[in-house]
């Protein structure tokens, strides 16, 4: 599939109804993944397992995405884009329905795996779909609009789902997600223009995508940047509790979420001209947040400043990285996106594992220092990939 949009080149405004439908799809994908985090005690009690076992609902989801994103993207490359997106959202509706009604742990885990498979399809598709709905000068902004679904899910969706789960029961939270997915199916069917898939003659083996200049640097940055973020994010409550601020975790995350939304707005305004500079700034801001937490985590004010810097740096990262890999991938952008999705989820799973290892060996104080160490090669690769991967200025800008 080419990344050159088939939208009229004379268009100068974003097709917001269609892009907001895609943003809602991102919201469904992100919230379905993270919702169990706020419902673990109730889920574990109802399913008759430990909270640790119930927590594998998040891990199984990530595994489903990581294992299937690349092969399913290759298998469905010729499908029309709307058909594929509808199939992914239908997968979420089915998986969340089964999760809501299941009384058996194994069945619940199977449903979560199916949801992860649907996420693999969706993530490999959404950024490229958004780019093809607008002319070249608006592609970065279009992806930014679609990616607002991530911070909205984290800063609004998870707290709201947790509240609903506490008030009515955790099953109702997943049932509500089914309702959102069903409504979204109608919205996509009626309000999102279709685009064709890739012609068979233009397809190449997925492994050959790695030889496309710029793809490997972007994938490396994705893997290490997401790993650094997840090491701290997955254990932020544990980290804050170490310094007597555990009761403020929800407020810290709310500040982080608000700053993330602002970050996406800023990135959306400049990404089509300043992709490289924004990626460097994103990394530096997250590094500055980690440095503050490493030195001043026992003082509330610097912690909240760190949350702002962290959100400003991280909020636009999905947009920046997906845009970079799509630009670098060119004719093979969908396959490159599938690789990015796979590495993203592998880094999330790895971040949880690495964070647990650090916690056991060195304690919670090791988290921000590990983030700083991981971000050094990220900055080096972004700065070094000046010809392909993170060019300045972006080609065609």
């Amino acid at each position: 599939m080419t990344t050159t949009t088939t939208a009229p080149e004379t268009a100068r405004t974003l097709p917001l109804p269609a892009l907001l439908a895609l943003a809602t799809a991102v919201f469904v994908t992100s919230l379905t993944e993270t919702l169990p985090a706020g419902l673990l005690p109730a889920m574990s009690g109802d399913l008759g397992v430990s909270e640790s076992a119930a927590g594998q609902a998040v891990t199984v989801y990530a595994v489903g995405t990581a294992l299937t994103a690349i092969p399913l993207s290759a298998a469905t490359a010729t499908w029309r884009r709307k058909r594929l997106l509808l199939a992914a959202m239908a997968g979420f509706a089915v998986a969340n329905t089964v999760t809501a009604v299941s009384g058996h742990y194994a069945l619940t885990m199977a449903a979560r795996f199916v949801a992860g498979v649907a996420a693999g399809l969706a993530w490999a598709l959404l950024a490229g779909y958004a780019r093809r709905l607008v002319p070249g000068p608006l592609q970065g902004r279009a992806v930014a609009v679609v990616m607002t679904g991530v911070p909205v899910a984290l800063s609004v969706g998870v707290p709201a789902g947790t509240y609903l789960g506490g008030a009515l029961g955790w099953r109702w939270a997943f049932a509500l997600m089914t309702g959102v997915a069903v409504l979204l199916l109608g919205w996509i069917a009626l309000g999102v223009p279709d685009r064709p898939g890739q012609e068979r003659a233009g397809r190449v083996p997925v492994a050959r995508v790695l030889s496309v200049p710029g793809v490997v640097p972007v994938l490396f940055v994705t893997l290490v940047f997401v790993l650094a973020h997840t090491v701290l994010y997955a254990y932020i409550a544990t980290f804050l509790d170490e310094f007597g601020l555990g009761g403020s975790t929800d407020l810290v995350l709310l500040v982080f979420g608000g700053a993330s939304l602002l970050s996406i707005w800023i990135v959306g305004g400049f990404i089509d001209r300043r992709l490289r500079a924004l990626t460097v700034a994103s990394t530096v801001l997250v590094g500055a947040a980690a440095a503050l937490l490493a030195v001043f985590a026992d003082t509330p004010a610097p912690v909240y400043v760190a949350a702002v810097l962290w959100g400003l740096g991280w909020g636009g990262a999905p947009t920046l990285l997906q845009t970079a890999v799509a630009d670098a991938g060119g004719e093979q952008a969908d396959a490159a996106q599938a690789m990015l999705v796979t590495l993203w989820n592998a880094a999330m799973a790895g971040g949880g594992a690495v964070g647990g290892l650090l916690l056991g060996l060195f304690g919670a104080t090791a988290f921000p220092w590990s983030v700083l160490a991981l971000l050094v090669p990220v900055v080096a690769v972004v700065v070094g990939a000046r010809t392909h991967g993170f060019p300045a200025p972006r080609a065609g800008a």
Side-chain angles (χ1 to χ4, degrees), residues 25 29 85 88-89 92 117-127:
T29 303
L85 183 57
M89 292 303 107
F92 279 111
V117 173
L121 277 176
W123 278 120
L125 161 73
L126 284 163

Side-chain angles (χ1 to χ4, degrees), residues 60-358:
V60 167
Y61 182 105
V63 169
T65 301
L67 290 180
T68 62
I70 291 177
L72 282 180
S73 177
T76 59
T78 59
W79 288 28
R80 296 192 69 84
R81 301 295 91 181
K82 180 185 284 192
R83 176 189 174 193
L84 187 56
L85 183 57
L86 288 171
M89 292 303 107
F92 279 111
V94 171
N96 283 324
T97 297
V98 173
T99 303
V101 302
S102 170
H104 302 282
Y105 178 73
L107 180 59
T108 301
M109 293 300 106
R112 294 292 297 172
F113 183 86
V114 170
V117 173
L121 277 176
W123 278 120
L125 161 73
L126 284 163
Y129 202 166
R131 288 163 61 88
R132 300 186 72 201
L133 293 176
V134 298
L138 297 179
Q139 288 180 345
R141 295 184 188 181
V143 175
V145 170
V146 171
M147 289 300 112
T148 57
V150 175
V152 170
L154 295 178
S155 62
V156 179
V158 173
T162 302
Y163 174 80
L164 179 64
L168 300 177
W170 67 271
R171 298 181 184 277
W172 282 101
F174 284 98
L176 180 61
M177 291 303 300
T178 295
V180 173
V182 170
L183 292 175
L184 181 58
L185 286 169
W187 188 358
I188 293 169
L190 297 176
V192 178
D194 197 6
R195 293 292 183 266
Q198 182 180 358
E199 296 181 2
R200 291 187 181 276
R203 296 173 59 186
V204 300
V206 171
R208 283 180 55 190
V209 178
L210 295 175
S211 66
V212 177
V215 169
V216 169
V218 177
L219 294 179
F220 174 85
V221 168
T222 298
L223 177 65
V224 182
F225 199 1
V226 175
L227 179 65
H229 163 78
T230 307
V231 163
L232 182 58
Y233 187 85
Y235 292 91
I236 188 62
T238 302
F239 176 79
L240 293 176
D241 191 56
E242 176 77 12
F243 296 94
L245 298 174
S248 302
T249 300
D250 54 349
L251 185 55
V252 170
L253 291 178
L254 181 63
V255 171
F256 168 82
S260 295
L261 286 172
L262 177 59
S263 174
I264 288 183
W265 180 78
I266 295 171
V267 165
F270 296 97
I271 188 172
D272 291 301
R273 301 185 302 277
R274 297 289 184 266
L275 173 64
R276 176 186 176 83
L278 288 169
T279 307
V280 171
S282 174
T283 311
V284 170
L285 284 169
V286 175
L292 277 176
L293 292 176
V295 180
F296 299 109
D298 55 349
T299 307
V303 169
Y304 287 107
V305 173
V308 172
L309 296 176
W310 189 7
L312 288 174
W314 180 254
T319 302
L320 292 167
L321 295 172
Q322 289 199 321
T323 299
V325 85
D327 284 351
E331 297 288 334
Q332 305 304 321
D334 279 0
Q337 290 281 359
M339 290 181 175
L340 182 143
V341 170
T342 297
L343 289 178
W344 190 290
N345 282 274
M348 290 182 64
V354 171
L357 184 63
L358 289 170

